[in-house]
Amino acid sequence: MEWMKLERKKTNFKTYIRSAAAIFAGILAMEILFLFLPKIDHPAQVGEELFTEWNGISMLISVLHFAGFGILAAVISAKLVIGEYSQKNAAVILCYPIKRNKILNAKCAVICAFTTLSVFLCNTVTIFLGCIIAKIGKLELTGSIANLILTVPCISFFTGVISSCAGILSAAIGQKKHSATAAVVASFLISCVLAQCFSISYTHILAVTAAVCAVMIFAAILGYWILKKEIERLEV
């Protein structure tokens, strides 16, 4: 906990909070477009019933959130992990009278906590604001609002964990390549692949999100192990 507090204090999270707010605003604008798209064009021409069901809207919004925040998590990882262990200040970190794993654990915990909380709040608020906008605009979307209220927090949490895992996995790839750019590119590619997984069955969005989350947790554990080994090999 003490090392987490130290990481929190020495990291300028104001920049990342502003980035999270920008992602939230952009996705909210896209959600409004998705909601009114069937009014602009016939549903059959814009993706069948995808834009006329709450499950479809939830899937689209969740995919956008884990893509956006997954890349943000990779950027934070590039700063906290790759940047600090690859630049001149690596010698200082490696000389700390504490096990390297503890410092790495603190960094990963801060990244995961910030990303998961941000995605949970943004995804939940975005979808619920969509419900209010649909109500005001008298838009008719199929699906139970009561069921949506119960499932959205769970979907948002799973989406946050997926984004966090993408960040850790990207950090491992970036550290392996000694490149912050490689971490961001890896996160983008991971988002593209996972987006296809969500399209399998948007009618069962909660189950699909939970399954993807389980796979990503396993991948993140493997990524952390690689990251730990890479850092253990570093010499002062």
Side-chain angles (χ1 to χ4, degrees):
M1 289 298 293
E2 292 181 1
W3 285 98
M4 283 184 64
K5 290 179 181 178
L6 179 61
E7 288 294 334
R8 222 168 42 236
K9 286 180 180 179
K10 75 175 189 176
T11 304
N12 182 18
F13 275 99
K14 290 182 180 179
T15 301
Y16 302 131
I17 291 172
R18 285 196 290 267
S19 299
I23 294 172
F24 167 74
I27 294 177
L28 180 60
M30 294 188 72
E31 181 186 38
I32 295 172
L33 175 62
F34 293 155
L35 290 171
F36 285 93
L37 199 55
K39 293 278 187 181
I40 301 171
D41 206 350
H42 192 275
Q45 297 176 336
V46 294
E48 299 297 337
E49 68 279 0
L50 182 63
F51 298 95
T52 59
E53 293 186 14
W54 280 118
N55 280 338
I57 295 294
S58 298
M59 184 270 288
L60 291 170
I61 298 305
S62 298
V63 167
L64 290 172
H65 271 101
F66 86 68
F69 281 94
I71 293 173
L72 179 59
V75 172
I76 300 173
S77 299
K79 173 67 175 177
L80 295 186
V81 180
I82 301 171
E84 294 195 6
Y85 282 106
S86 300
Q87 297 176 357
K88 294 179 180 179
N89 55 351
V92 178
I93 297 176
L94 296 177
C95 288
Y96 283 168
I98 188 173
K99 290 184 178 179
R100 297 180 183 183
N101 288 351
K102 289 188 176 181
I103 301 176
L104 180 61
N105 289 344
K107 291 179 180 294
C108 291
V110 168
I111 294 167
C112 291
F114 176 81
T115 306
T116 302
L117 181 61
S118 298
V119 176
F120 176 80
L121 292 175
C122 291
N123 198 59
T124 302
V125 172
T126 301
I127 295 176
F128 285 160
L129 283 177
C131 294
I132 296 172
I133 293 169
K135 187 74 174 178
I136 295 173
K138 297 181 179 179
L139 303 174
E140 297 181 0
L141 280 80
T142 58
S144 170
I145 296 296
N147 183 61
L148 194 70
I149 292 173
L150 293 174
T151 58
V152 164
C154 296
I155 293 172
S156 299
F157 174 74
F158 289 143
T159 304
V161 174
I162 291 170
S163 299
S164 300
C165 292
I168 299 301
L169 189 57
S170 300
I173 295 171
Q175 184 65 30
K176 190 81 175 174
K177 299 293 184 181
H178 302 289
S179 170
T181 303
V184 176
V185 172
S187 180
F188 174 76
L189 294 176
I190 291 170
S191 299
C192 292
V193 172
L194 292 183
Q196 300 303 315
C197 297
F198 275 78
S199 63
I200 295 174
S201 177
Y202 71 86
T203 55
H204 300 91
I205 179 64
L206 181 58
V208 172
T209 308
V212 173
C213 182
V215 173
M216 284 301 294
I217 288 174
F218 176 79
I221 292 172
L222 178 61
Y224 172 81
W225 182 80
I226 294 172
L227 188 60
K228 185 178 71 171
K229 291 298 181 183
E230 286 294 315
I231 291 174
E232 286 177 351
R233 291 195 189 102
L234 295 177
E235 296 181 358
V236 180

